[in-house]
């Protein structure tokens, strides 16, 4: 039997700790690492190509069908997130503010990424479980595809998940019946419409938190995606906008625009 859902996962930011980029200067590590997922019914996977093409069709000067949020101007970004917010999809983001991460915590390559992915898959699994009464088709599981990233061995990631599944000592709250570990895959961003859509989700959240070279961030993109962001009983912060650090610890380090992005989901 086929899967009930598909999920595409992408990130914004990098794993670098220290030498963070500052306004007015080029180079340096991002201050935020954000992992996002977009989730929809498996039967709509081919529809995602049409969704992507309809967004591109409203950008008359665009020369390719591929969506990449970083290459868009402000108007195109707003068009994209407004279009996404009208689709039968849900999105989830897990967010970490790296200046508060001690240097010694994530010493191995991809360790920080794996750690955030654990929290993302927890919420992804809860969402699929929650939606199951309204999604009768398929076997209840989700087919997960990552946007391929350099230096990432996906066999290692699948083994990491198997380790979490065997772990009975720690508070691992993934609802395992919906997670198909063996089918987890990675594809190039340009190959799949779903990966291009989730790139816009991760980048939209990042634009509201990561200060650009001019000292600004833009909360409107994340705000526009609020209607499709996973929540329970109006609680976004435990579900579709999961911050790893407590908000009361984060806010003294943030400017007004960054705090506004967070406050949008109160």
């Amino acid at each position: 039997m086929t899967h009930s859902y598909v999920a595409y996962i992408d990130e914004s930011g990098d794993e670098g700790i220290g030498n963070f980029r500052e306004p007015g200067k080029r180079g340096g590590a991002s201050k935020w690492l954000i992992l996002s997922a977009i989730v929809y019914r498996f039967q709509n996977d081919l529809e995602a190509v049409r969704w992507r093409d309809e967004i591109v069709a409203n950008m008359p000067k665009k020369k390719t069908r591929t969506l990449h949020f970083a290459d868009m101007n402000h108007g195109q970004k707003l068009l994209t997130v407004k279009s996404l917010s009208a689709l039968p999809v849900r999105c989830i983001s897990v967010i970490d503010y790296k200046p508060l991460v001690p240097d010694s915590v994530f010493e191995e390559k991809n360790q920080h990424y794996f750690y955030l992915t654990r929290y993302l898959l927890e919420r992804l699994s809860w969402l699929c479980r929650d939606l199951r009464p309204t999604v009768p088709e398929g076997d209840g599981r989700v087919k997960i595809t990552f946007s391929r990233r350099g230096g990432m061995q996906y066999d290692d990631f699948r083994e990491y998940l198997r380790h979490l599944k065997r772990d009975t000592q720690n508070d691992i709250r993934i609802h395992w019946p919906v997670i198909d570990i063996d089918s987890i895959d990675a594809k190039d961003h340009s190959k799949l419409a779903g990966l291009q859509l989730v790139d816009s989700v991760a980048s939209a959240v990042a634009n509201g938190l990561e200060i650009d070279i001019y000292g600004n961030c833009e909360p409107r993109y994340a705000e526009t995606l609020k209607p499709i962001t996973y929540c329970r009983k109006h609680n976004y912060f435990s579900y579709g906008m999961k911050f790893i650090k407590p908000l009361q610890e984060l806010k003294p380090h943030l400017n007004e625009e960054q705090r506004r992005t967070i406050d949008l989901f109160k």
Side-chain angles (χ1 to χ4, degrees), residues 8-23:
Y8 293 96
I9 295 175
D10 198 5
E11 82 270 12
S12 181
D14 54 66
E15 291 186 282
I17 302 294
N19 188 31
F20 297 112
R21 70 174 67 114
E22 298 292 343

Side-chain angles (χ1 to χ4, degrees), residues 123-162:
R123 282 141 188 84
L124 173 58
S125 72
W126 303 343
L127 174 62
C128 293
R129 180 189 60 197
D130 290 351
L131 291 176
R132 182 60 170 161
T134 61
V135 184
E137 66 271 12
D139 59 10
R141 296 183 300 167
V142 57
K143 172 70 175 76
I144 299 170
T145 301
F146 285 81
S147 185
R148 194 188 309 278
R149 60 200 305 263
M152 176 85 164
Q153 298 297 319
Y154 291 90
D155 286 342
D156 292 344
F157 180 72
R158 286 187 284 270
E159 186 52 42
Y160 169 71
L161 290 185
R162 294 186 185 101

Side-chain angles (χ1 to χ4, degrees), residues 88-137:
V89 304
R90 290 292 180 269
C91 58
I92 303 166
S93 295
V94 174
I95 304 157
D96 204 8
Y97 182 61
K98 296 188 300 174
L100 296 181
V101 177
D103 293 348
S104 59
V105 172
F106 301 115
E107 295 183 324
E108 297 179 13
K109 190 173 184 179
N110 295 319
Q111 190 178 4
H112 197 180
Y113 184 88
F114 280 19
Y115 180 72
L116 266 60
T117 305
R118 165 195 159 180
Y119 286 96
L120 186 68
L121 293 191
E122 282 182 350
R123 282 141 188 84
L124 173 58
S125 72
W126 303 343
L127 174 62
C128 293
R129 180 189 60 197
D130 290 351
L131 291 176
R132 182 60 170 161
T134 61
V135 184
E137 66 271 12

Side-chain angles (χ1 to χ4, degrees), residues 11-264:
E11 82 270 12
S12 181
D14 54 66
E15 291 186 282
I17 302 294
N19 188 31
F20 297 112
R21 70 174 67 114
E22 298 292 343
K25 298 179 181 179
R26 297 192 178 275
S30 67
K31 290 187 176 180
W32 299 85
L33 179 59
I34 298 164
L35 266 66
S36 296
I38 193 168
V39 189
Y40 48 87
R41 291 185 180 202
F42 186 86
Q43 66 184 22
N44 286 339
D45 204 22
L46 291 178
E47 280 289 284
V49 176
R50 180 176 64 82
W51 299 339
R52 187 272 316 277
D53 288 350
E54 288 179 349
I55 295 171
V56 172
N58 286 310
M59 301 178 187
K61 294 184 179 181
K62 199 171 189 318
K63 297 180 180 178
T64 71
R65 296 171 65 201
T66 303
L67 282 178
H68 197 261
F69 206 75
D71 296 335
M72 300 179 195
N73 62 37
H74 175 65
Q76 291 170 330
K77 290 176 179 179
L78 279 178
L79 166 69
T80 298
V81 292
K82 286 178 180 178
S83 300
L84 282 176
S85 70
L87 296 176
V89 304
R90 290 292 180 269
C91 58
I92 303 166
S93 295
V94 174
I95 304 157
D96 204 8
Y97 182 61
K98 296 188 300 174
L100 296 181
V101 177
D103 293 348
S104 59
V105 172
F106 301 115
E107 295 183 324
E108 297 179 13
K109 190 173 184 179
N110 295 319
Q111 190 178 4
H112 197 180
Y113 184 88
F114 280 19
Y115 180 72
L116 266 60
T117 305
R118 165 195 159 180
Y119 286 96
L120 186 68
L121 293 191
E122 282 182 350
R123 282 141 188 84
L124 173 58
S125 72
W126 303 343
L127 174 62
C128 293
R129 180 189 60 197
D130 290 351
L131 291 176
R132 182 60 170 161
T134 61
V135 184
E137 66 271 12
D139 59 10
R141 296 183 300 167
V142 57
K143 172 70 175 76
I144 299 170
T145 301
F146 285 81
S147 185
R148 194 188 309 278
R149 60 200 305 263
M152 176 85 164
Q153 298 297 319
Y154 291 90
D155 286 342
D156 292 344
F157 180 72
R158 286 187 284 270
E159 186 52 42
Y160 169 71
L161 290 185
R162 294 186 185 101
H163 168 75
L164 293 182
K165 191 173 182 179
R166 295 189 297 266
D167 187 344
T168 59
Q169 303 300 314
N170 296 299
D171 187 24
I172 311 297
R173 293 185 286 171
I174 296 173
H175 182 64
W176 292 109
V178 308
I179 302 296
D180 185 0
I181 296 175
D182 292 337
S183 75
I184 290 174
D185 199 6
K187 299 291 185 183
D188 293 338
H189 168 96
S190 61
K191 300 297 184 183
L192 294 174
L195 292 176
Q196 295 166 42
L197 299 180
V198 75
D199 164 76
S200 294
V201 174
S203 297
V205 175
N207 272 245
L209 295 169
E210 189 76 53
I211 297 172
D212 66 18
I213 193 171
Y214 305 106
N216 301 312
C217 53
E218 176 51 82
R220 280 181 288 178
Y221 309 139
E223 179 180 20
T224 304
L225 293 179
K226 185 175 179 178
I228 60 169
T229 300
Y230 177 36
C231 70
R232 282 184 185 169
K233 298 180 180 178
H234 305 290
N235 178 355
Y236 291 88
F237 293 131
S238 297
Y239 299 99
M241 286 285 285
K242 168 63 178 176
F243 287 84
I244 299 298
K245 304 294 184 300
L247 294 179
Q248 62 270 25
E249 184 179 346
L250 271 179
K251 285 199 170 182
H253 300 272
L254 308 181
N255 67 22
E256 183 178 347
E257 288 178 329
Q258 292 169 315
R259 289 193 293 270
R260 183 187 163 209
T261 297
I262 294 173
D263 289 345
L264 289 168

